[in-house]
Amino acid sequence: MSEIASVDWSRAQFALTAIYHFLFVPLTLGLSFIIAIMESIYVKTGNEQWLKITKFWLKLFGINFAIGVATGIIMEFEFGTNWANYSWFVGDIFGAPLAIEGLLAFFMEATFFAVMFFGWDKVSKKFHLISTWLVAVGSNLSALWILIANGWMQYPVGMKFNPATARMEMENFFEVALSPVGIIKFLHTVTSGYVASALFVIGISAWFILKGRHLIMAKKSIVVAASFGLVTSLFLMFSGDESAYQVARTQPMKLAAMEGLYKGEQNAGLVAMGVLDPSKKHGDGKDAFLLELKVPYALGIMATRKFDSFTPGIEDLVYGNEAQNIESVASKMAKGSLAVSALASYNAAKKSGDKAAMEQAEQTLAQNMKFLGYGYLKSPESAVPPVGITFYSFHLMVALGTYFLALFLVVTYLTMANDIENFKKLLWACVFSIPLGLVAIEAGWIVAEVGRQPWVVQDLMTVGVGATNLADTNIKISFWLFAVLFTALLIAEIKIMLKQIKIGFENHA
C-alpha cells in the first residue's frame, strides 16, 4: 500500500474537524428557534408548564452550544495551518464573510445568549423573549455568512485575479453575498438543522412518554417540534431540488457522480435506488450498476427544468461531447497550462522590468484564467470525484429525508389526536431517529465536499495546490490529537445531556 500523502492527511484532519463540528451546529440552529417558539407560548399564555419546558430544552441547547464553539474555532485555525496556500489565494474574498460572521452575527448571538441563559430573574419576560429570538437569528446569521463563503468555493464569482500578488481580489461583494449557490446552500443546510433538531426534541420527548414521566410536557414538546419539523422538512424537499439544479448548472461533474451517471442521456431518469458496480472504470463500456430502479425523466427535469433535455455523464465531461458542445478536460488542461505558464512569465517579466512582456503574459493569463486549476491536474480522469461515496451518500440523505417527512406527519397527527402514547413502536422509532438526522446531514456534507473533488476552489485551485507543505509527522500527530479531543468532547456532551434528561422537566430554574 502506498504511503498516504501529506495533503491527504490535511484533508482527513479538516474532514474530521468538520464532521465533529457539524454534529453540534445543527442542534444549535434548530433548537434556538424551537426554544424561542416555546418561550413565546409561555409569555403569551403565562402557563408555568411552558416555562419549565423552555428551561429544560434551553439547558440542552447551552451544553451543545458551548462544545460547538470549541470545534468551530479549531476549524478556522486550520485554514492557516494546513491550507495556507488556499488562504493566501482567496483570503481577500473568503475572509470577508467570515469576518462579518465573527463581528456581527456571532457577537450578537453570544451577547444575547448570556441574557437568555442567565437573565430569567434579571430582565422582563418580554426582553428575555426578545433575547431568545435574537440568539436564534444570530446563530442562523452565523451560518449564513459561513455558507456564503463555502458557496463561493463551489461557484467562485465577483472577483478578479491579481497576478502581481497571485491572489483573488473581490470586485463585487453583493455578487458574492447573493450568489444563488451560496443562498440555496444556506437555506438547505439550516433547514436540515431544523429537521435534526425537531427529531432531537421528539425523540427525547418520546422517551419520557415511554417511561411514563412528564406526559403533558412531553406531549406539548412533541406538538411544537413535530409541527416545526413537518413544515421545515417540506421546505427541505424544495430547497434540495433547487440545490440539485444549481449543482447541475455550476458543477455538472458532481451531479453525474451523485447519480452514478457515466454516459449522458436525453431525458435522463433519476436513480431511486441502486447498487454500483465497483469494477466500473471510465470508458470501459460496462454498465455502471449491478442493480438500479429509476424514475423516468426525473433527473433531466431536475437538472434543466425542461422535459426534453440532455444531462451529461462523467465520460461526456471528461472526454468531451462535441454534439452537446461539452469541452473535454484535456482541452481545459491545455488552457490551464497556458494560464500557469503565463503567470510564471508575468513574474519573470516583472523581475526584469519588461513591461511589454508583462502585458502580454497578463493578457494570456486573463484569456485562460477560468481554467487555471486544470493546469495542475495530472490526467483528465483526475477531474472525477469518488463516485461511490458521493452516490451512496446522496441517496442515503434523500432516503432519510423522505422518512423524516413521513415520521413528522404521523407524529403530528397522533399527538394532536392525543393518542400517541398508545403507539409504542412509533415512540421507539422516534427515539432511534435522533441520530439519523445527524447522519443525513453528514451525508449531505459528504456529497457537497467529496463530490467537488479535486477542487478546493472550483476550476481554479486543486486541493493539492491549496495545502500547506507540512511534514507528514506533524499532521499525523495533530490528526490523532484532534480525534481523541473531539471524541472526548462528544462523549462529555452526551453524558452531560443524559444527566440533564434524566432530571426531567423539573429543577431547571
Side-chain angles (χ1 to χ4, degrees), residues 55 114-125 127-128 509:
K55 287 187 174 182
V115 178
M116 180 180 74
F117 207 75
F118 302 108
W120 286 105
D121 300 320
K122 299 176 178 63
V123 298
S124 67
K125 287 183 180 180
F127 185 79
H128 191 279

Side-chain angles (χ1 to χ4, degrees), residues 23 62 69 83 93 99-100 112 156 234-235 286 380 397 408 425 428 444 446 498:
L23 290 174
V69 169
W83 304 97
I93 303 168
I100 295 173
F112 288 100
L234 285 169
F235 182 79
K286 293 176 62 177
M397 175 188 67
F408 288 135
K425 291 183 179 180
W428 280 115
I446 289 172
L498 289 175

Side-chain angles (χ1 to χ4, degrees), residues 68-106:
V69 169
T71 53
I73 291 173
I74 291 173
M75 188 162 61
E76 291 193 5
F77 276 113
E78 287 180 9
F79 284 117
T81 57
N82 293 66
W83 304 97
N85 295 333
Y86 162 79
S87 298
W88 173 264
F89 185 63
V90 303
D92 182 63
I93 303 168
F94 190 79
L98 292 185
I100 295 173
E101 184 270 335
L103 294 174
L104 176 63
F106 183 75

Side-chain angles (χ1 to χ4, degrees), residues 145-226:
W145 292 109
I146 292 169
L147 291 166
I148 282 174
N150 182 271
W152 183 87
M153 295 165 66
Q154 312 272 349
Y155 179 53
V157 292
M159 79 294 181
K160 67 175 181 179
F161 182 70
N162 186 342
T165 60
R167 286 170 60 90
M168 285 291 179
E169 297 178 351
M170 188 179 295
E171 271 195 321
N172 189 328
F173 171 78
F174 292 103
E175 192 174 356
V176 174
L178 300 177
S179 165
V181 173
I183 295 299
I184 197 60
K185 177 171 284 291
F186 163 72
L187 293 174
H188 191 59
T189 303
V190 298
T191 308
S192 68
Y194 301 160
V195 170
S197 300
L199 291 168
F200 178 80
V201 174
I202 290 172
I204 294 172
S205 301
W207 181 83
F208 280 119
I209 294 174
L210 286 166
K211 297 299 180 181
R213 298 176 57 196
H214 310 298
L215 293 181
I216 294 177
M217 287 185 281
K219 288 180 183 179
K220 287 183 175 182
S221 296
I222 288 180
V223 168
V224 172

Side-chain angles (χ1 to χ4, degrees), residues 53-69:
I53 291 170
T54 302
K55 287 187 174 182
F56 171 74
W57 296 111
L58 180 58
K59 280 286 181 69
L60 300 183
F61 171 81
I63 296 165
N64 183 79
F65 179 86
I67 298 179
V69 169

Side-chain angles (χ1 to χ4, degrees), residues 2 10 84 135 209 361 454:
S2 61
S10 289
V135 168
I209 294 174

Side-chain angles (χ1 to χ4, degrees), residues 406-469:
L407 183 68
F408 288 135
L409 187 62
V410 174
V411 169
T412 300
Y413 172 77
L414 292 176
T415 307
M416 298 296 288
N418 198 27
D419 197 31
I420 192 169
E421 66 268 28
N422 295 321
F423 293 82
K424 304 297 183 184
K425 291 183 179 180
L426 177 64
L427 291 170
W428 280 115
C430 292
V431 174
F432 289 114
S433 293
I434 293 175
L436 294 182
L438 298 175
V439 169
I441 289 173
E442 297 289 4
W445 272 111
I446 289 172
V447 173
E449 300 307 306
V450 175
R452 69 181 168 105
Q453 295 302 308
W455 308 111
V456 65
V457 180
Q458 185 69 38
D459 297 341
L460 297 178
M461 175 176 272
T462 62
V463 172
V465 173
T468 309
N469 187 20

